[in-house]
Amino acid sequence: MSEPTESYDERECSCPREFYQRAELNTSLFFADCTRSIDFVLAYKTNANEATEEEYVEKRRIFQENLIHQGLEVELSQKEQIYFVKIHAPLEVLRRYAEILKLRMPMKESLCNLRVYERSNRLHNAAHYLSKKIPGLSVVNRSTKSVYSSLKTVCQFFLRNIYVDERYFPKRAHRFTAIYSRDKEYLFDIRQDCFFTTAVRSRIVEFILDRQRFPAKRQNDMAFGIERLVAEGVYCAAYPLHDGEITEEGTMRELLYKNWASVKKWYRYQPLDDIKEYFGVKIGLYFAWLGFYTYMLLLASIVGVVCFLYSWLSLKNYVPVKDICLRSNSNIIMCPLCDWCEFWNLSETCNYAKITYLIDNPSTIFFAVFMSFWATLFLELWKRYSAEITHRWDLTGFDVHEEHPRPQYLARLEHIEPTRTDYVTNMKEPTVPFWRMKLPATVFSFSVVVLLIALAFVALVAVVVHRMSMLAALKVDGSGMTTSKAIVLAAASAAFVNLCLLYILNYLYNHLAEYLTELEMWRTQTQFDDSLTLKIYLLQFVNYYASIFYIAFFKGKFVGHPGEYITVFKYRQEECSSGGCLTELCIQLAIIMIGKQAFNTILEVYLPMFWRKVQAIQVGLSRLFGNSVKPDKAKDERWMRDFKLLDWGARSLFPEYLEMVLQYGFVTIFVAAFPLAPFFALLNNILEMRLDAKKLLTHHKRPVSQRVRDIGVWYRILDCIGKLSVITNGFIIAFTSDMIPRLVYRSLKSKDGTLNGYLDFTLSEFKISDSSKLHSLAGDFSNITTCKYTDYREPPTSPNKYQLTSTFYIILACRLGFVVLFENFVALVMILVRWCIPDMSVELRDQIRREVYITNEIIIDQEAQRARFERAKRNYSLARTTSVQDVDAASVDEPNSKFIKIEKLLTANLSQIEMDSIIHGDNTTTGISGADC
């Protein structure tokens, strides 16, 4: 066993100093003194109504006085009838609120000189040992190394062009962090230029802005916070500043725009660390998850395309399609599919039979099992990848229970005495009265959600009625359209109507869900967002998937048979089109999924441009769009240019997550009916990732950094979707496709084990004279006496005519047995995958443990040095008060020299920061050596 080799981390500093230095050239990022940075901007316009303006002036005055009282510094500027209140957070305010928010900050580099030991490769060591002992293996070892080196060179060249370009985004050194405390400030280099980054500064300022009160006409518990003032029109906007234009070289915004948001860079990995530094953890995690999801879709897309190509190539050998399309005597007359439909010839369905086989073939079972495995693999690998990101971004110790209560929550409980002590923060907080506030709000919220779900089912019924009306209109207009074409056209029309209803109901759901969640009195913003997410996703799930579940599992399943149809409100139920329910399901999925993605892409490109133009017209700044590429920097300061951008709300990421999670449902829940779903999702996500980035950088104000530990409740939703997909795909294969009937026919009915005669096996016969209604619909088929329909029933010549045959029950038993076997097999595979892939790699776990150990050692060592200094200080004070007359003169000189050095230190009138620097060896500012202590 070889000794572990040492390697030192010589990567770039974690602080992007070059961008801060270049940003200093832009004076509009600073106060008039060009020294204090602008950490936040409030903008307002005067109101034409004099009485209203007086009220607004008083609110702004009190609010800004409260900000100054908290230690913030403000500066007022005016530009084109718009007033800008520029806010700067001094160091003392940043220190105080960093401690309140329990921010994890980087420790001094001088304290963290850690050697990183690489783990030795046991397999490599064993091979090296055997090559020495066995002479023949040395030649093999050298040849293998040569081939390996060549392959490694080729792979490195390929990977170099898809990994993050380190010329623009150099790797950042991982630094130890600790929860900031002013008592332990000696651990941090707060004098470093970028110790408090712009993202941290804006987050602290927003925390203060959200909690300052303003006067109200009546006693109002909600009269606080910048969000309320913007909603009332007192201020127009509140935002931190971008560091420059997207065309301004040397800024992080320009660098991200050219090398990340560009669609031309679609093949490169994302610079996640730089995204996190600029936009904050929450947005960084979204793009990390989206990139990982898109990367995993690549494997699913390849398998899906291969399965589709297999079905395309094997189509020519599929016997039932030959029977329908190529048999010359295939004049099989089928019974009408609706009350106003006519008899039709089975040969009309030749094209639909081919389409059905492309999605209903032997590869379907394999692909459904694979996608269940893929869904589990995706979630397990994401947990593993998320653990690495969490460690890299210092979120490991972040606890949502440490999160401060929402201002709205505290305002509504302001009249209640604090009675509960939080077990994490050890602070007293008011408790929501259960019977008076919590229970009524929960019951009301639940009732409204149930009502909205019922409304989604009403929309489903409306779509069904539209489909039936469309079919009737096509059949009675005299166009001569065949029944099969009319049904397919009606189904496609109904899918488009369903898509339009989706967007209308979505708008209603979003507004009501937010109002209901506010009533439920959630303590923290994370709890509020999770509850809101669950509500909206539940409503969207019903909204998007109700029609698909109806087609997959209910349509055409309980219709009866000719002459004795099962009716609902005296109307005959819908039957599937001539191509079968699976073809109709595929059409519905393709239109909703692809149509929704295409529509959303168009909206994401053009809607922000439209709203920017509307906003510019509203503020009289339409000249922005006349010269948007190179704005006049002499006229437009940074805060003015950012004012023209759109606001990025606290929940603006929600629709982005929702869109992707709904897409994930299409990819997994119904993938057995649409094998190309992962491929279309991959194409969409490649564009989605870059368009989202471009939208953020180009059209929106800079978001305030928000700290989260993971993607939150979305992970649990994805996990539930993965489990649901196992059930739905099993039932789709068993009950919607013809997989089981084909297997039964091959095993029990076929003489040669092929599908010869399978078409006749699936059809039953009905005597037209047994139904007067069918007899009246004969029309051009007046000379026929019988018609065929898809079912397993006795013929009219049998004593038990039209009763279900034993074959039906055999197939039903096989369907149920397949569901049980399929789901248990897939569940076993999922359990094995979860067992084989730990949530955190062994290397990362050991690294975290070592970092925690070293951090604790550093703190203990520094505390020991401080204790020694305090003890020396006390001894000195004691010695000053003790008489030295009895002490021998020869023995006094040495201790007096120590006391003189300490006295020099204590009388130097130093700050606490300088004192700590001296203690730990940094004497650059005072000239006093730490050894003097």
Side-chain angles (χ1 to χ4, degrees):
M1 183 70 68
S2 62
E3 294 293 326
T5 57
E6 296 181 4
S7 65
Y8 297 92
D9 200 340
E10 298 178 350
R11 293 179 291 184
E12 297 293 329
C13 172
S14 60
C15 174
R17 293 178 182 272
E18 61 274 19
F19 297 108
Y20 287 96
Q21 292 168 354
R22 292 170 183 170
E24 291 178 2
L25 301 175
N26 190 346
T27 57
S28 64
L29 294 174
F30 297 87
F31 275 19
D33 58 11
C34 293
T35 302
R36 292 172 292 172
S37 62
I38 300 174
D39 300 322
F40 224 89
V41 175
L42 308 180
Y44 67 89
K45 294 186 292 184
T46 57
N47 195 291
N49 189 311
E50 187 174 344
T52 304
E53 179 58 23
E54 288 181 1
E55 179 188 346
Y56 285 0
V57 167
E58 180 64 14
K59 288 183 177 181
R60 285 193 291 264
R61 184 185 68 81
I62 299 297
F63 186 76
Q64 288 168 201
E65 284 180 358
N66 290 337
L67 296 182
I68 296 172
H69 179 71
Q70 291 295 322
L72 297 178
E73 298 173 0
V74 299
E75 183 179 83
L76 185 65
S77 297
Q78 181 182 0
K79 184 76 173 180
E80 300 183 12
Q81 305 302 316
I82 304 175
Y83 296 87
F84 296 92
V85 180
K86 296 171 284 184
I87 300 174
H88 170 74
L91 181 60
E92 180 57 36
V93 174
L94 296 173
R95 292 169 61 210
R96 184 169 72 250
Y97 277 93
E99 186 174 28
I100 292 172
L101 294 172
K102 294 182 172 60
L103 299 182
R104 296 189 69 89
M105 305 299 291
M107 299 167 64
K108 287 181 179 178
E109 292 186 16
S110 59
L111 302 177
C112 305
N113 294 325
L114 172 67
R115 292 181 176 183
V116 181
Y117 293 93
E118 294 181 352
R119 290 175 176 267
S120 58
N121 191 322
R122 296 183 179 180
L123 186 62
H124 173 75
N125 293 339
H128 182 68
Y129 174 79
L130 290 175
S131 64
K132 287 184 176 181
K133 297 296 182 181
I134 304 175
L137 287 180
S138 59
V139 179
V140 177
N141 189 26
R142 285 194 297 270
S143 303
T144 305
K145 280 186 176 180
S146 176
V147 175
Y148 174 75
S149 299
S150 302
L151 291 175
K152 186 176 180 181
T153 303
V154 174
C155 291
Q156 285 178 344
F157 174 79
F158 173 74
L159 294 175
R160 197 181 303 121
N161 289 284
I162 64 172
Y163 283 163
V164 176
D165 195 338
E166 294 187 11
R167 294 175 300 172
Y168 305 108
F169 304 104
K171 290 182 179 179
R172 297 172 180 268
H174 178 72
R175 295 178 60 182
F176 289 173
T177 61
I179 295 177
Y180 181 82
S181 171
R182 285 179 288 180
D183 293 337
K184 295 183 175 61
E185 209 161 50
Y186 55 82
L187 295 173
F188 310 97
D189 189 4
I190 66 170
R191 290 169 297 175
Q192 189 181 14
D193 292 338
C194 60
F195 180 74
F196 290 107
T197 63
T198 54
V200 172
R201 300 175 77 97
S202 64
R203 182 185 172 201
I204 289 175
V205 174
E206 188 197 41
F207 183 83
I208 299 172
L209 292 174
D210 284 342
R211 284 157 175 79
Q212 302 309 307
R213 301 196 69 87
F214 56 86
K217 290 182 178 180
R218 298 182 301 273
Q219 181 63 29
N220 187 356
D221 293 340
M222 305 298 289
F224 68 91
I226 188 61
E227 186 177 348
R228 185 76 177 217
L229 288 173
V230 172
E232 291 182 359
V234 180
Y235 289 99
C236 300
Y239 52 93
L241 296 178
H242 284 289
D243 65 343
E245 282 295 308
I246 57 175
T247 55
E248 189 175 338
E249 292 187 3
T251 63
M252 180 62 78
R253 189 183 181 194
E254 180 266 346
L255 192 64
L256 289 171
Y257 181 80
K258 285 187 176 180
N259 298 283
W260 171 50
S262 174
V263 179
K264 296 179 182 179
K265 303 289 184 180
W266 65 269
Y267 55 89
R268 279 201 177 271
Y269 282 20
Q270 300 181 96
L272 294 176
D273 291 335
D274 297 270
I275 297 169
K276 171 254 181 181
E277 285 296 326
Y278 194 78
F279 291 115
V281 171
K282 190 171 186 178
I283 292 178
L285 265 178
Y286 164 72
F287 281 104
W289 177 83
L290 179 58
F292 185 80
Y293 171 50
T294 304
Y295 176 76
M296 289 294 293
L297 277 174
L298 183 62
L299 177 62
S301 302
I302 292 173
V303 176
V305 170
V306 168
C307 291
F308 183 78
L309 291 176
Y310 163 80
S311 62
W312 183 275
L313 295 174
S314 60
L315 174 62
K316 59 183 179 181
N317 299 321
Y318 186 54
V319 174
V321 171
K322 290 181 180 179
D323 291 341
I324 294 174
C325 300
L326 303 179
R327 198 189 332 178
S328 59
N329 59 347
S330 61
N331 295 321
I332 301 176
I333 305 302
M334 304 296 292
C335 299
L337 294 174
C338 60
D339 289 337
W340 48 82
C341 297
E342 58 189 21
F343 293 91
W344 52 286
N345 199 310
L346 184 61
S347 60
E348 297 174 7
T349 64
C350 175
N351 292 328
Y352 305 121
K354 294 178 181 179
I355 295 173
T356 301
Y357 177 74
L358 294 179
I359 56 179
D360 184 10
N361 56 78
S363 67
T364 304
I365 294 180
F366 164 75
F367 191 57
V369 173
F370 169 80
M371 286 305 296
S372 299
F373 165 78
W374 175 89
T376 306
L377 189 67
F378 164 65
L379 291 178
E380 293 303 312
L381 291 180
W382 165 250
K383 280 197 293 187
R384 191 180 177 94
Y385 180 59
S386 178
E388 296 177 6
I389 294 177
T390 299
H391 170 253
R392 197 164 78 219
W393 292 352
D394 300 313
L395 306 173
T396 306
F398 178 65
D399 188 353
V400 294
H401 293 287
E402 296 176 2
E403 192 175 350
H404 284 258
R406 298 170 60 241
Q408 297 86 343
Y409 170 85
L410 294 178
R412 293 186 63 185
L413 298 178
E414 194 174 34
H415 59 284
I416 299 175
E417 282 293 325
T419 57
R420 184 181 71 91
T421 301
D422 187 84
Y423 67 94
V424 175
T425 62
N426 201 31
M427 296 173 59
K428 281 202 169 187
E429 296 178 3
T431 304
V432 181
F434 180 77
W435 296 104
R436 184 160 54 90
M437 298 181 70
K438 190 72 175 179
L439 182 63
T442 304
V443 171
F444 178 72
S445 177
F446 178 78
S447 303
V448 174
V449 169
V450 171
L451 180 64
L452 292 175
I453 292 175
L455 183 61
F457 283 108
V458 170
L460 173 62
V461 174
V463 171
V464 172
V465 171
H466 167 81
R467 184 162 48 232
M468 296 172 66
S469 303
M470 186 75 177
L471 182 59
L474 291 173
K475 292 304 298 178
V476 300
D477 66 350
S479 61
M481 183 178 294
T482 61
T483 299
S484 57
K485 289 182 179 179
I487 291 177
V488 172
L489 183 59
S493 172
F496 279 112
V497 171
N498 188 30
L499 186 62
C500 295
L501 285 176
L502 294 181
Y503 280 97
I504 296 173
L505 291 176
N506 286 348
Y507 180 81
L508 175 65
Y509 290 165
N510 291 341
H511 286 75
L512 280 176
E514 190 167 343
Y515 170 74
L516 294 173
T517 309
E518 194 67 59
L519 289 180
E520 293 174 358
M521 301 287 293
W522 292 106
R523 176 181 174 272
T524 65
Q525 190 64 44
T526 300
Q527 293 171 334
F528 180 90
D529 291 343
D530 287 352
S531 179
L532 178 65
T533 299
L534 284 174
K535 282 187 188 64
I536 295 185
Y537 182 75
L538 177 62
L539 297 171
Q540 299 282 30
F541 183 90
V542 176
N543 198 19
Y544 275 98
Y545 299 140
S547 60
I548 300 174
F549 270 98
Y550 166 72
I551 294 174
F553 302 119
F554 298 101
K555 186 177 181 182
K557 299 296 187 295
F558 312 101
V559 296
H561 61 87
E564 194 177 335
Y565 288 109
I566 300 173
T567 59
V568 178
F569 300 114
K570 298 183 180 180
Y571 289 97
R572 178 179 165 184
Q573 295 183 55
E574 277 192 303
E575 287 193 54
C576 293
S577 63
S578 52
C581 288
L582 201 61
T583 303
E584 199 168 331
L585 178 61
C586 181
I587 293 172
Q588 186 85 358
L589 278 167
I591 290 176
I592 292 180
M593 179 184 172
I594 300 175
K596 175 180 174 295
Q597 291 182 165
F599 187 67
N600 283 345
T601 301
I602 294 172
L603 286 181
E604 287 190 357
V605 173
Y606 294 105
L607 198 59
M609 298 170 61
F610 170 76
W611 286 118
R612 275 192 68 188
K613 193 165 187 177
V614 169
Q615 183 169 337
I617 293 173
Q618 288 176 345
V619 297
L621 299 172
S622 57
R623 65 182 178 80
L624 168 67
F625 294 91
N627 189 18
S628 59
V629 176
K630 292 185 178 180
D632 190 351
K633 297 181 182 179
K635 295 182 180 180
D636 280 353
E637 291 81 1
R638 179 74 263 153
W639 62 82
M640 186 63 176
R641 279 175 276 168
D642 282 6
F643 176 73
K644 302 167 187 175
L645 301 177
L646 302 175
D647 288 322
W648 180 268
R651 287 183 288 276
S652 295
L653 269 184
F654 178 82
E656 308 296 338
Y657 270 117
L658 181 63
E659 180 185 355
M660 290 296 102
V661 173
L662 287 172
Q663 180 203 87
Y664 181 80
F666 286 118
V667 168
T668 54
I669 297 177
F670 304 104
V671 74
F674 192 29
L676 292 179
F679 176 72
F680 286 109
L682 175 66
L683 295 180
N684 173 79
N685 289 5
I686 291 173
L687 286 176
E688 177 79 18
M689 198 185 311
R690 307 300 167 174
L691 292 179
D692 283 349
K694 190 173 184 179
K695 177 176 66 175
L696 262 172
L697 289 165
T698 307
H699 301 299
H700 286 275
K701 297 180 176 70
R702 186 173 182 175
V704 179
S705 174
Q706 292 179 297
R707 192 164 185 240
V708 294
R709 184 171 182 177
D710 48 34
I711 61 175
V713 74
W714 292 112
Y715 179 84
R716 297 200 296 274
I717 292 175
L718 292 170
D719 189 38
C720 292
I721 291 174
K723 293 184 172 84
L724 179 63
S725 67
V726 178
I727 300 172
T728 54
N729 285 310
F731 274 93
I732 287 174
I733 294 172
F735 288 92
T736 307
S737 74
D738 286 337
M739 185 71 64
I740 303 303
R742 287 199 298 265
L743 292 174
V744 171
Y745 180 78
R746 285 176 181 271
S747 303
L748 302 179
K749 302 295 182 180
S750 176
K751 296 179 181 179
D752 52 1
T754 64
L755 291 177
N756 292 323
Y758 173 73
L759 182 62
D760 295 328
F761 170 74
T762 60
L763 299 177
S764 297
E765 188 179 41
F766 181 77
K767 190 175 182 180
I768 298 177
S769 58
D770 289 342
S771 173
S772 58
K773 192 169 186 178
L774 286 183
H775 194 271
S776 63
L777 293 173
D780 297 336
F781 299 92
S782 56
N783 58 336
I784 62 173
T785 57
T786 60
C787 63
K788 299 282 189 179
Y789 61 98
T790 305
D791 208 342
Y792 301 96
R793 293 183 179 271
E794 297 287 351
T797 56
S798 172
N800 300 319
K801 64 178 182 178
Y802 309 135
Q803 297 296 314
L804 293 171
T805 63
S806 59
T807 304
F808 171 83
Y809 294 103
I810 293 173
I811 293 175
L812 178 61
C814 291
R815 291 181 195 270
L816 294 174
F818 172 81
V819 170
V820 173
L821 290 175
F822 177 84
E823 293 184 7
N824 281 277
F825 174 75
V826 173
L828 180 62
V829 171
M830 294 170 70
I831 291 172
L832 288 174
V833 170
R834 288 192 175 97
W835 181 74
C836 292
I837 303 177
D839 294 347
M840 184 183 296
S841 66
V842 177
E843 292 80 4
L844 179 60
R845 185 190 62 207
D846 292 345
Q847 184 178 352
I848 292 174
R849 289 174 177 174
R850 178 161 176 76
E851 289 179 3
V852 170
Y853 168 77
I854 292 176
T855 302
N856 290 335
E857 288 295 311
I858 291 171
I859 294 175
I860 291 171
D861 180 64
Q862 299 301 312
E863 286 291 336
Q865 292 187 36
R866 284 177 62 87
R868 287 195 295 269
F869 173 74
E870 291 295 334
R871 187 166 57 252
K873 181 178 177 181
R874 287 195 302 271
N875 292 340
Y876 170 75
S877 301
L878 181 62
R880 294 276 294 177
T881 59
T882 303
S883 174
V884 294
Q885 296 179 355
D886 301 332
V887 183
D888 187 275
S891 62
V892 173
D893 294 339
E894 184 178 353
N896 272 350
S897 63
K898 296 180 181 179
F899 292 147
I900 289 169
K901 293 177 182 179
I902 296 175
E903 182 177 13
K904 180 183 177 182
L905 184 63
L906 296 175
T907 58
N909 196 23
L910 302 177
S911 68
Q912 181 65 36
I913 301 173
E914 292 171 327
M915 189 80 74
D916 289 335
S917 300
I918 295 168
I919 294 171
H920 304 299
D922 187 358
N923 60 350
T924 56
T925 59
T926 63
I928 303 174
S929 171
D932 293 341
C933 300

